Coordinates of all heavy atoms in Angstrom, one line a residue:
M1 N -7.4 -7.8 5.6 CA -6.6 -9.0 5.8 C -5.5 -9.1 4.6 O -4.5 -9.7 4.8 CB -7.5 -10.2 5.8 CG -6.8 -11.5 6.0 SD -8.0 -12.7 6.4 CE -7.0 -14.0 6.8
H2 N -5.9 -8.6 3.5 CA -4.9 -8.7 2.4 C -3.9 -7.5 2.3 O -2.9 -7.6 1.6 CB -5.6 -8.8 1.0 CG -6.6 -7.7 0.7 ND1 -7.8 -7.7 1.2 CD2 -6.4 -6.6 0.0 CE1 -8.4 -6.6 0.8 NE2 -7.6 -5.9 0.1
Y3 N -4.2 -6.4 3.1 CA -3.3 -5.3 3.1 C -1.9 -5.7 3.6 O -0.9 -5.3 2.9 CB -3.8 -4.1 3.9 CG -2.9 -3.0 4.0 CD1 -2.6 -2.2 2.9 CD2 -2.1 -2.8 5.2 CE1 -1.7 -1.1 3.0 CE2 -1.2 -1.8 5.3 CZ -1.0 -0.9 4.2 OH -0.1 0.1 4.2
P4 N -1.7 -6.5 4.6 CA -0.4 -6.9 5.0 C 0.4 -7.6 4.0 O 1.6 -7.5 3.8 CB -0.6 -7.7 6.3 CG -1.9 -7.3 6.8 CD -2.7 -6.9 5.6
L5 N -0.3 -8.5 3.2 CA 0.3 -9.2 2.1 C 0.7 -8.2 1.0 O 1.8 -8.3 0.4 CB -0.6 -10.2 1.5 CG -0.8 -11.5 2.4 CD1 -1.9 -12.4 1.8 CD2 0.5 -12.2 2.7
F6 N -0.2 -7.2 0.7 CA 0.2 -6.2 -0.3 C 1.5 -5.5 0.1 O 2.4 -5.3 -0.7 CB -0.9 -5.2 -0.4 CG -2.0 -5.5 -1.4 CD1 -3.1 -4.8 -1.5 CD2 -1.9 -6.6 -2.3 CE1 -4.1 -5.1 -2.4 CE2 -2.9 -6.9 -3.2 CZ -4.0 -6.2 -3.2
L7 N 1.5 -5.1 1.4 CA 2.7 -4.4 1.9 C 3.9 -5.3 1.8 O 5.0 -4.8 1.4 CB 2.4 -4.0 3.4 CG 3.5 -3.2 4.1 CD1 3.8 -1.9 3.3 CD2 3.1 -2.9 5.5
L8 N 3.8 -6.5 2.2 CA 5.0 -7.5 2.1 C 5.5 -7.6 0.6 O 6.7 -7.4 0.4 CB 4.6 -8.8 2.6 CG 5.6 -9.9 2.5 CD1 6.8 -9.7 3.4 CD2 5.0 -11.3 2.7
Y9 N 4.6 -7.8 -0.3 CA 4.9 -7.9 -1.7 C 5.5 -6.6 -2.3 O 6.5 -6.6 -3.0 CB 3.8 -8.4 -2.6 CG 3.3 -9.8 -2.3 CD1 2.0 -10.1 -2.3 CD2 4.2 -10.8 -2.0 CE1 1.5 -11.4 -2.0 CE2 3.8 -12.1 -1.7 CZ 2.5 -12.4 -1.8 OH 2.0 -13.7 -1.5
Y10 N 4.9 -5.5 -1.9 CA 5.4 -4.2 -2.4 C 6.8 -3.9 -1.8 O 7.6 -3.5 -2.6 CB 4.4 -3.1 -1.9 CG 4.9 -1.7 -2.3 CD1 4.9 -1.4 -3.6 CD2 5.3 -0.8 -1.3 CE1 5.3 -0.1 -4.0 CE2 5.7 0.4 -1.7 CZ 5.7 0.8 -3.0 OH 6.2 2.0 -3.4
N11 N 7.0 -4.2 -0.6 CA 8.4 -4.0 0.0 C 9.4 -4.9 -0.7 O 10.5 -4.5 -1.0 CB 8.4 -4.2 1.5 CG 7.9 -3.0 2.2 OD1 8.2 -1.9 1.9 ND2 6.9 -3.3 3.1
Q12 N 9.1 -6.1 -1.0 CA 10.0 -7.0 -1.6 C 10.3 -6.6 -3.1 O 11.4 -6.7 -3.6 CB 9.5 -8.5 -1.6 CG 9.6 -9.1 -0.2 CD 11.0 -9.1 0.3 OE1 12.0 -9.5 -0.3 NE2 11.2 -8.7 1.6
L13 N 9.2 -6.2 -3.7 CA 9.3 -5.7 -5.1 C 10.2 -4.5 -5.3 O 10.9 -4.3 -6.3 CB 7.9 -5.5 -5.7 CG 7.8 -5.2 -7.2 CD1 8.3 -6.3 -8.1 CD2 6.4 -4.8 -7.6
T14 N 10.1 -3.6 -4.3 CA 10.8 -2.3 -4.4 C 12.1 -2.3 -3.6 O 12.6 -1.2 -3.3 CB 9.9 -1.2 -4.0 OG1 9.5 -1.4 -2.6 CG2 8.7 -1.0 -4.9
L15 N 12.6 -3.4 -3.2 CA 13.7 -3.5 -2.3 C 14.9 -2.7 -2.8 O 15.5 -1.9 -2.1 CB 14.1 -4.9 -2.0 CG 15.2 -5.2 -1.0 CD1 14.8 -4.7 0.4 CD2 15.5 -6.7 -1.0
N16 N 15.3 -2.9 -4.1 CA 16.4 -2.2 -4.6 C 16.0 -1.2 -5.7 O 16.9 -0.8 -6.6 CB 17.4 -3.2 -5.3 CG 17.9 -4.2 -4.2 OD1 18.3 -3.7 -3.1 ND2 17.9 -5.5 -4.5
S17 N 14.8 -0.6 -5.6 CA 14.4 0.3 -6.6 C 14.8 1.8 -6.3 O 15.0 2.1 -5.1 CB 12.8 0.3 -6.7 OG 12.4 -1.0 -7.2
K18 N 14.8 2.6 -7.3 CA 15.0 4.0 -7.2 C 13.7 4.7 -6.8 O 12.6 4.0 -7.0 CB 15.6 4.6 -8.5 CG 17.0 4.0 -8.8 CD 17.5 4.6 -10.0 CE 18.9 4.0 -10.3 NZ 19.5 4.6 -11.5
P19 N 13.7 5.9 -6.4 CA 12.4 6.6 -6.1 C 11.4 6.6 -7.2 O 10.2 6.4 -6.9 CB 12.8 8.0 -5.7 CG 14.2 7.9 -5.2 CD 14.8 6.8 -6.0
S20 N 11.8 6.7 -8.4 CA 10.8 6.7 -9.5 C 10.2 5.3 -9.6 O 9.0 5.1 -9.9 CB 11.4 7.1 -10.8 OG 12.5 6.3 -11.1
G21 N 11.0 4.3 -9.5 CA 10.5 2.9 -9.5 C 9.6 2.6 -8.4 O 8.6 1.8 -8.5
I22 N 9.9 3.1 -7.2 CA 9.0 2.9 -6.0 C 7.6 3.5 -6.3 O 6.6 2.8 -6.0 CB 9.7 3.5 -4.8 CG1 10.9 2.7 -4.4 CG2 8.7 3.6 -3.6 CD1 11.8 3.4 -3.3
L23 N 7.6 4.7 -6.9 CA 6.3 5.3 -7.2 C 5.5 4.6 -8.3 O 4.3 4.4 -8.2 CB 6.5 6.8 -7.5 CG 6.9 7.7 -6.4 CD1 7.2 9.1 -6.9 CD2 5.9 7.7 -5.3
L24 N 6.2 4.2 -9.3 CA 5.6 3.5 -10.4 C 5.0 2.1 -10.0 O 4.0 1.6 -10.5 CB 6.5 3.3 -11.6 CG 6.8 4.6 -12.4 CD1 7.8 4.4 -13.5 CD2 5.5 5.1 -13.0
K25 N 5.7 1.4 -9.1 CA 5.3 0.1 -8.7 C 4.2 0.1 -7.7 O 3.7 -0.9 -7.3 CB 6.5 -0.7 -8.1 CG 7.5 -1.0 -9.2 CD 8.8 -1.6 -8.6 CE 9.8 -1.9 -9.7 NZ 11.1 -2.4 -9.1
L26 N 3.8 1.3 -7.3 CA 2.6 1.5 -6.4 C 1.3 1.1 -7.2 O 0.4 0.5 -6.6 CB 2.4 2.9 -5.9 CG 3.1 3.3 -4.7 CD1 3.0 4.8 -4.5 CD2 2.5 2.6 -3.5
F27 N 1.2 1.5 -8.4 CA -0.1 1.4 -9.1 C -0.6 0.0 -9.3 O -1.8 -0.3 -9.2 CB 0.0 2.1 -10.4 CG 0.2 3.6 -10.2 CD1 1.4 4.2 -10.4 CD2 -0.8 4.4 -9.7 CE1 1.6 5.6 -10.2 CE2 -0.6 5.7 -9.5 CZ 0.6 6.3 -9.7
P28 N 0.3 -1.1 -9.6 CA -0.3 -2.4 -9.7 C -0.9 -2.9 -8.3 O -1.7 -3.8 -8.3 CB 0.9 -3.3 -10.0 CG 1.9 -2.3 -10.7 CD 1.7 -1.0 -10.0
F29 N -0.6 -2.3 -7.2 CA -1.1 -2.6 -5.9 C -2.4 -1.8 -5.6 O -3.3 -2.3 -5.0 CB -0.1 -2.5 -4.8 CG 1.0 -3.5 -5.0 CD1 2.2 -3.2 -5.6 CD2 0.9 -4.8 -4.4 CE1 3.2 -4.1 -5.7 CE2 1.9 -5.7 -4.6 CZ 3.1 -5.3 -5.2
V30 N -2.3 -0.5 -5.9 CA -3.4 0.4 -5.5 C -4.6 0.3 -6.4 O -5.7 0.3 -5.9 CB -2.8 1.9 -5.5 CG1 -3.9 2.9 -5.3 CG2 -1.7 2.0 -4.5
I31 N -4.4 0.2 -7.7 CA -5.5 0.2 -8.7 C -6.5 -0.9 -8.4 O -7.7 -0.7 -8.3 CB -5.1 0.3 -10.1 CG1 -4.4 1.7 -10.4 CG2 -6.2 0.1 -11.1 CD1 -3.7 1.9 -11.7
P32 N -6.0 -2.2 -8.4 CA -7.0 -3.3 -8.1 C -7.7 -3.1 -6.8 O -8.9 -3.4 -6.7 CB -6.2 -4.5 -8.2 CG -4.9 -4.2 -8.9 CD -4.7 -2.7 -8.6
Q33 N -7.0 -2.7 -5.8 CA -7.6 -2.5 -4.4 C -8.7 -1.5 -4.5 O -9.8 -1.7 -3.9 CB -6.5 -2.1 -3.4 CG -7.0 -1.8 -2.1 CD -7.6 -2.9 -1.3 OE1 -7.2 -4.1 -1.5 NE2 -8.5 -2.6 -0.4
V34 N -8.4 -0.4 -5.1 CA -9.4 0.7 -5.2 C -10.6 0.3 -6.0 O -11.8 0.6 -5.7 CB -8.8 2.0 -5.7 CG1 -9.9 3.0 -6.0 CG2 -7.8 2.5 -4.7
L35 N -10.4 -0.4 -7.1 CA -11.5 -0.9 -7.9 C -12.4 -1.9 -7.2 O -13.6 -1.8 -7.2 CB -11.0 -1.6 -9.2 CG -10.4 -0.7 -10.2 CD1 -9.8 -1.5 -11.4 CD2 -11.4 0.3 -10.8
L36 N -11.8 -2.8 -6.4 CA -12.5 -3.8 -5.6 C -13.3 -3.1 -4.5 O -14.5 -3.4 -4.3 CB -11.6 -4.8 -5.1 CG -12.2 -5.9 -4.2 CD1 -13.0 -6.8 -5.1 CD2 -11.1 -6.7 -3.6
E37 N -12.7 -2.1 -3.9 CA -13.3 -1.4 -2.8 C -14.5 -0.6 -3.3 O -15.6 -0.5 -2.7 CB -12.3 -0.5 -2.1 CG -12.9 0.1 -0.8 CD -11.8 0.9 -0.1 OE1 -10.6 0.5 -0.1 OE2 -12.1 2.0 0.4
T38 N -14.3 0.1 -4.5 CA -15.4 0.9 -5.1 C -16.6 0.0 -5.5 O -17.7 0.3 -5.2 CB -14.9 1.6 -6.3 OG1 -13.8 2.4 -5.9 CG2 -15.9 2.5 -6.9
F39 N -16.3 -1.2 -6.1 CA -17.3 -2.1 -6.4 C -18.1 -2.6 -5.2 O -19.3 -2.6 -5.2 CB -16.7 -3.3 -7.2 CG -17.7 -4.4 -7.5 CD1 -18.6 -4.3 -8.5 CD2 -17.8 -5.5 -6.6 CE1 -19.6 -5.3 -8.8 CE2 -18.7 -6.5 -6.9 CZ -19.6 -6.4 -8.0
A40 N -17.3 -3.0 -4.2 CA -18.0 -3.4 -2.9 C -18.8 -2.4 -2.2 O -19.9 -2.6 -1.7 CB -16.9 -4.0 -2.0
A41 N -18.4 -1.1 -2.3 CA -19.1 0.0 -1.7 C -20.4 0.3 -2.4 O -21.4 0.6 -1.8 CB -18.2 1.2 -1.6
K42 N -20.4 0.2 -3.7 CA -21.6 0.5 -4.5 C -22.6 -0.6 -4.7 O -23.8 -0.4 -4.7 CB -21.1 1.0 -5.9 CG -20.5 2.3 -5.9 CD -20.2 2.8 -7.3 CE -19.5 4.2 -7.2 NZ -19.3 4.8 -8.5
N43 N -22.1 -1.9 -4.7 CA -23.0 -3.0 -5.0 C -23.3 -3.9 -3.8 O -24.1 -4.8 -4.0 CB -22.4 -3.8 -6.2 CG -22.2 -3.0 -7.4 OD1 -23.1 -2.1 -7.7 ND2 -21.2 -3.2 -8.2
T44 N -22.6 -3.7 -2.7 CA -22.9 -4.6 -1.6 C -22.9 -3.7 -0.3 O -22.7 -2.5 -0.4 CB -21.7 -5.7 -1.4 OG1 -20.5 -5.0 -1.0 CG2 -21.5 -6.5 -2.7
D45 N -23.2 -4.3 0.8 CA -23.2 -3.6 2.0 C -22.0 -4.0 2.9 O -21.9 -3.7 4.1 CB -24.5 -4.0 2.9 CG -25.7 -3.4 2.3 OD1 -25.6 -2.4 1.6 OD2 -26.8 -4.0 2.5
L46 N -21.0 -4.5 2.2 CA -19.7 -4.9 2.9 C -18.9 -3.6 3.3 O -18.3 -3.6 4.4 CB -18.8 -5.7 2.0 CG -19.4 -7.1 1.6 CD1 -18.4 -7.7 0.6 CD2 -19.5 -7.9 2.9
I47 N -19.0 -2.6 2.5 CA -18.2 -1.3 2.8 C -19.2 -0.2 2.8 O -20.0 -0.1 1.8 CB -17.1 -1.1 1.8 CG1 -16.1 -2.2 1.9 CG2 -16.4 0.2 2.1 CD1 -15.0 -2.2 0.8
T48 N -19.2 0.6 3.8 CA -20.0 1.9 3.8 C -19.1 3.0 4.0 O -18.4 3.2 5.0 CB -21.0 1.8 5.0 OG1 -21.8 0.6 4.9 CG2 -21.9 3.0 4.9
W49 N -19.0 3.9 3.0 CA -18.2 5.1 3.1 C -18.9 6.2 3.8 O -20.1 6.3 3.7 CB -17.8 5.6 1.7 CG -16.7 4.7 1.0 CD1 -15.8 3.9 1.6 CD2 -16.5 4.7 -0.4 NE1 -15.0 3.3 0.7 CE2 -15.4 3.8 -0.6 CE3 -17.0 5.2 -1.5 CZ2 -14.9 3.5 -1.8 CZ3 -16.5 4.9 -2.7 CH2 -15.4 4.1 -2.9
K50 N -18.2 7.0 4.6 CA -18.8 8.1 5.2 C -19.1 9.2 4.2 O -18.6 9.2 3.1 CB -17.8 8.7 6.3 CG -17.6 7.8 7.5 CD -16.7 8.5 8.5 CE -16.6 7.6 9.7 NZ -15.8 8.2 10.7
K51 N -19.9 10.1 4.6 CA -20.4 11.2 3.7 C -19.1 12.0 3.3 O -18.3 12.4 4.1 CB -21.4 12.1 4.4 CG -22.0 13.1 3.5 CD -23.0 13.9 4.3 CE -23.7 14.9 3.4 NZ -24.6 15.7 4.1
G52 N -19.0 12.2 2.0 CA -17.9 12.9 1.4 C -16.7 12.0 1.0 O -15.7 12.5 0.4
W53 N -16.7 10.8 1.4 CA -15.5 9.9 1.1 C -15.8 9.2 -0.2 O -16.9 8.8 -0.5 CB -15.4 8.8 2.2 CG -14.2 8.0 2.1 CD1 -14.0 6.8 1.4 CD2 -12.9 8.3 2.7 NE1 -12.7 6.4 1.6 CE2 -12.0 7.2 2.4 CE3 -12.4 9.3 3.5 CZ2 -10.7 7.2 2.8 CZ3 -11.1 9.2 3.9 CH2 -10.3 8.2 3.6
S54 N -14.8 9.1 -1.1 CA -15.0 8.4 -2.4 C -13.8 7.6 -2.7 O -12.8 7.5 -1.9 CB -15.3 9.5 -3.5 OG -14.3 10.3 -3.6
W55 N -13.7 7.1 -4.0 CA -12.7 6.2 -4.4 C -11.3 6.9 -4.3 O -10.3 6.3 -4.0 CB -12.9 5.7 -5.8 CG -12.9 6.7 -6.8 CD1 -13.9 7.5 -7.3 CD2 -11.8 7.1 -7.6 NE1 -13.5 8.3 -8.3 CE2 -12.2 8.1 -8.5 CE3 -10.4 6.8 -7.6 CZ2 -11.3 8.8 -9.3 CZ3 -9.5 7.4 -8.4 CH2 -10.0 8.4 -9.3
Y56 N -11.2 8.2 -4.7 CA -9.9 8.8 -4.7 C -9.4 9.1 -3.3 O -8.2 9.1 -3.1 CB -9.9 10.1 -5.5 CG -10.9 11.2 -5.1 CD1 -10.6 12.1 -4.2 CD2 -12.1 11.2 -5.8 CE1 -11.5 13.1 -3.8 CE2 -13.0 12.2 -5.4 CZ -12.7 13.1 -4.4 OH -13.6 14.1 -4.1
H57 N -10.2 9.2 -2.3 CA -9.8 9.3 -0.9 C -9.1 7.9 -0.5 O -8.1 7.9 0.2 CB -10.9 9.6 0.0 CG -11.4 11.0 -0.1 ND1 -12.6 11.2 -0.8 CD2 -11.0 12.2 0.3 CE1 -12.8 12.5 -0.8 NE2 -11.8 13.1 -0.2
S58 N -9.7 6.8 -0.9 CA -9.2 5.5 -0.7 C -7.9 5.3 -1.4 O -6.9 4.8 -0.8 CB -10.2 4.4 -1.1 OG -11.3 4.5 -0.3
A59 N -7.8 5.8 -2.6 CA -6.5 5.6 -3.4 C -5.4 6.4 -2.7 O -4.3 5.9 -2.5 CB -6.7 6.1 -4.8
I60 N -5.7 7.7 -2.4 CA -4.6 8.5 -1.8 C -4.2 7.9 -0.4 O -3.0 7.9 -0.1 CB -5.2 10.0 -1.6 CG1 -5.3 10.6 -3.0 CG2 -4.2 10.8 -0.7 CD1 -6.0 11.9 -3.0
S61 N -5.2 7.5 0.4 CA -4.8 7.0 1.7 C -4.0 5.7 1.6 O -3.1 5.4 2.4 CB -6.0 6.8 2.6 OG -6.9 5.7 2.1
L62 N -4.3 4.8 0.6 CA -3.6 3.6 0.4 C -2.2 3.9 -0.1 O -1.2 3.3 0.4 CB -4.3 2.7 -0.6 CG -3.8 1.3 -0.8 CD1 -3.9 0.5 0.6 CD2 -4.6 0.6 -1.8
I63 N -2.0 4.9 -1.0 CA -0.7 5.3 -1.4 C 0.2 5.8 -0.3 O 1.3 5.4 -0.1 CB -0.8 6.3 -2.6 CG1 -1.3 5.6 -3.8 CG2 0.5 7.0 -2.8 CD1 -1.7 6.6 -4.9
I64 N -0.4 6.7 0.5 CA 0.3 7.2 1.7 C 0.7 6.1 2.7 O 1.8 6.1 3.1 CB -0.5 8.3 2.3 CG1 -0.6 9.5 1.4 CG2 0.1 8.7 3.7 CD1 -1.6 10.6 1.9
K65 N -0.2 5.2 2.9 CA 0.1 4.1 3.9 C 1.2 3.2 3.4 O 2.2 2.9 4.1 CB -1.1 3.3 4.2 CG -2.1 3.9 5.1 CD -3.2 3.0 5.6 CE -4.1 2.6 4.4 NZ -5.2 1.7 4.9
L66 N 1.2 2.9 2.1 CA 2.2 2.0 1.5 C 3.6 2.7 1.5 O 4.6 2.1 1.9 CB 1.9 1.6 0.1 CG 0.8 0.5 0.0 CD1 0.4 0.3 -1.5 CD2 1.3 -0.8 0.5
L67 N 3.6 4.0 1.2 CA 4.9 4.7 1.2 C 5.4 5.0 2.6 O 6.6 4.9 2.8 CB 4.7 6.1 0.4 CG 4.5 6.0 -1.1 CD1 4.3 7.3 -1.7 CD2 5.7 5.3 -1.7
L68 N 4.5 5.2 3.5 CA 5.0 5.4 4.9 C 5.5 4.2 5.5 O 6.6 4.2 6.1 CB 3.8 6.0 5.7 CG 4.1 6.2 7.2 CD1 5.1 7.4 7.3 CD2 2.8 6.5 8.0
C69 N 4.8 3.1 5.3 CA 5.3 1.8 5.8 C 6.6 1.4 5.1 O 7.5 0.9 5.8 CB 4.3 0.7 5.7 SG 2.9 0.9 6.7
R70 N 6.7 1.6 3.8 CA 8.0 1.3 3.1 C 9.1 2.1 3.6 O 10.2 1.6 3.8 CB 7.8 1.4 1.6 CG 8.9 0.7 0.9 CD 9.3 1.4 -0.4 NE 10.4 0.7 -1.0 CZ 11.6 0.9 -0.7 NH1 12.0 1.7 0.3 NH2 12.6 0.3 -1.4
S71 N 8.9 3.4 3.9 CA 10.0 4.2 4.4 C 10.4 3.8 5.8 O 11.6 3.9 6.1 CB 9.6 5.7 4.4 OG 8.5 5.9 5.2
I72 N 9.5 3.4 6.6 CA 9.8 2.9 8.0 C 10.6 1.7 7.9 O 11.7 1.5 8.6 CB 8.5 2.7 8.8 CG1 7.9 4.1 9.2 CG2 8.9 2.0 10.1 CD1 6.5 4.0 9.8
I73 N 10.2 0.7 7.0 CA 11.0 -0.5 6.9 C 12.4 -0.2 6.3 O 13.4 -0.8 6.7 CB 10.2 -1.5 6.0 CG1 8.9 -2.0 6.8 CG2 11.0 -2.7 5.6 CD1 8.0 -2.8 5.9
S74 N 12.4 0.7 5.4 CA 13.7 1.1 4.8 C 14.6 1.7 5.9 O 15.8 1.4 5.9 CB 13.5 2.1 3.7 OG 14.7 2.5 3.2
A75 N 14.1 2.5 6.7 CA 14.9 3.1 7.8 C 15.4 2.0 8.8 O 16.6 2.1 9.2 CB 14.1 4.2 8.6
V76 N 14.6 1.1 9.1 CA 15.0 0.0 10.0 C 16.1 -0.8 9.3 O 17.1 -1.2 10.0 CB 13.8 -0.9 10.4 CG1 14.2 -2.2 11.0 CG2 12.8 -0.1 11.2
R77 N 16.0 -1.1 8.0 CA 17.0 -1.8 7.3 C 18.3 -1.0 7.3 O 19.4 -1.6 7.5 CB 16.6 -2.0 5.8 CG 15.6 -3.1 5.6 CD 15.4 -3.4 4.2 NE 14.4 -4.4 4.0 CZ 13.4 -4.2 3.1 NH1 13.3 -3.2 2.3 NH2 12.5 -5.2 3.0
K78 N 18.3 0.3 7.2 CA 19.5 1.1 7.2 C 20.1 1.1 8.6 O 21.4 1.0 8.7 CB 19.3 2.5 6.7 CG 19.1 2.6 5.3 CD 19.0 4.0 4.8 CE 18.7 3.9 3.3 NZ 19.0 5.1 2.6
I79 N 19.3 1.2 9.6 CA 19.8 1.1 11.0 C 20.5 -0.2 11.3 O 21.5 -0.2 12.0 CB 18.7 1.4 12.0 CG1 18.2 2.9 11.9 CG2 19.1 1.1 13.4 CD1 16.9 3.2 12.6
N80 N 19.9 -1.3 10.8 CA 20.4 -2.6 11.1 C 21.4 -3.1 10.1 O 21.9 -4.2 10.3 CB 19.2 -3.6 11.2 CG 18.4 -3.4 12.4 OD1 18.9 -3.0 13.4 ND2 17.2 -3.8 12.3
S81 N 21.8 -2.3 9.1 CA 22.8 -2.8 8.2 C 24.2 -2.9 8.9 O 24.6 -2.1 9.7 CB 22.9 -1.8 7.0 OG 23.4 -0.6 7.4
G82 N 24.8 -4.0 8.6 CA 26.1 -4.3 9.2 C 26.0 -5.0 10.5 O 27.0 -5.5 11.0
R83 N 24.9 -5.2 11.1 CA 24.7 -5.9 12.3 C 24.4 -7.4 12.0 O 23.7 -7.7 11.0 CB 23.6 -5.4 13.2 CG 23.9 -4.0 13.7 CD 22.9 -3.5 14.6 NE 23.1 -2.1 15.1 CZ 22.3 -1.4 15.8 NH1 21.2 -1.9 16.2 NH2 22.6 -0.2 16.1
I84 N 24.8 -8.3 12.8 CA 24.5 -9.7 12.7 C 23.2 -10.0 13.3 O 22.9 -9.6 14.5 CB 25.6 -10.5 13.3 CG1 26.9 -10.3 12.5 CG2 25.2 -12.0 13.2 CD1 28.1 -11.0 13.1
S85 N 22.3 -10.6 12.6 CA 21.0 -11.0 13.1 C 21.0 -12.5 13.5 O 21.3 -13.3 12.7 CB 19.9 -10.7 12.1 OG 18.7 -11.1 12.6
I86 N 20.7 -12.7 14.7 CA 20.6 -14.1 15.2 C 19.2 -14.5 15.4 O 18.5 -13.9 16.3 CB 21.4 -14.3 16.5 CG1 22.9 -14.0 16.2 CG2 21.3 -15.8 16.9 CD1 23.7 -14.0 17.5
T87 N 18.7 -15.4 14.6 CA 17.3 -15.9 14.8 C 17.2 -17.4 15.0 O 18.1 -18.1 14.8 CB 16.4 -15.5 13.6 OG1 17.0 -15.9 12.4 CG2 16.2 -14.0 13.6

């Protein structure tokens, strides 16, 4: 439920960033999420990881998802630049 909010904040934070800034701004979003998920997997029954899955798999998948979604949103922005949006 909080991933869409992370994605929204991340996209707004990196709206005018260069590629290095986009990568560096990932970590304030990814690290707390991975720490919380690791704690929940080890100390509660809320999350059950499959055999062979660990915290770094979660971190890598979260990074890939954030970058992929950001690139899609960036592409849509470039396609729609110059067009008038009526809402």
Side-chain angles (χ1 to χ4, degrees):
M1 185 165 184
H2 58 277
Y3 175 74
L5 289 175
F6 274 171
L7 181 60
L8 175 73
Y9 293 142
Y10 177 68
N11 280 313
Q12 289 299 315
L13 184 67
T14 61
L15 184 62
N16 297 316
S17 297
K18 295 180 180 180
S20 60
I22 291 170
L23 291 175
L24 287 175
K25 291 175 184 177
L26 270 171
F27 296 106
F29 293 95
V30 172
I31 291 172
Q33 172 69 25
V34 170
L35 290 174
L36 182 66
E37 187 175 323
T38 303
F39 174 80
K42 289 185 179 186
N43 298 324
T44 68
D45 290 332
L46 293 173
I47 298 173
T48 306
W49 285 338
K50 291 184 178 182
K51 187 176 182 181
W53 191 270
S54 64
W55 67 269
Y56 56 88
H57 292 101
S58 293
I60 291 169
S61 67
L62 190 59
I63 288 170
I64 290 170
K65 285 190 293 186
L66 283 171
L67 289 175
L68 180 66
C69 289
R70 195 209 179 279
S71 63
I72 291 170
I73 292 170
S74 177
V76 169
R77 282 186 185 133
K78 286 187 182 201
I79 291 169
N80 287 334
S81 66
R83 294 186 184 173
I84 298 174
S85 176
I86 300 174
T87 52

